[in-house]
Amino acid sequence: MELFLNVLLVLTSLLLIVLILLHRGKGGGLSSMFGGAVSSQLSGSSVVEKNLNRLTVFAGLLWAVCIVALGILLKV
């Protein structure tokens, strides 16, 4: 069980990194500094953004559950 949770934690961590980097910059941050402002105006629809947000929230919740479960499991 511990090995499964550790593997799941690593996979969700990597998935969260990728999903967060896929989000469109809202201006003024690093994404606009490196040319993200131009590409963000040209790409993406609201449906894709909503699905990306949902997937990011789901991955974040799964990550948090893994952290709590590992904490409870290793506490003993």
Side-chain angles (χ1 to χ4, degrees), residues 50-61:
K50 285 181 183 178
N51 288 335
L52 183 61
N53 286 340
R54 289 178 186 148
L55 190 58
T56 305
V57 168
F58 176 74
L61 289 174

Side-chain angles (χ1 to χ4, degrees), residues 57-72:
V57 168
F58 176 74
L61 289 174
L62 187 61
W63 183 84
V65 168
C66 285
I67 292 289
V68 171
L70 276 171
I72 291 171

Side-chain angles (χ1 to χ4, degrees), residues 14-74:
L14 294 174
L15 181 65
L16 273 173
I17 291 170
V18 170
L19 289 174
I20 290 171
L21 288 176
L22 283 175
H23 277 278
R24 184 179 358 184
K26 300 297 181 197
L30 287 176
S31 63
S32 63
M33 187 165 88
F34 294 113
V38 174
S39 64
S40 67
Q41 293 173 356
L42 298 176
S43 64
S45 66
S46 62
V47 174
V48 174
E49 291 173 17
K50 285 181 183 178
N51 288 335
L52 183 61
N53 286 340
R54 289 178 186 148
L55 190 58
T56 305
V57 168
F58 176 74
L61 289 174
L62 187 61
W63 183 84
V65 168
C66 285
I67 292 289
V68 171
L70 276 171
I72 291 171
L73 188 67
L74 296 176

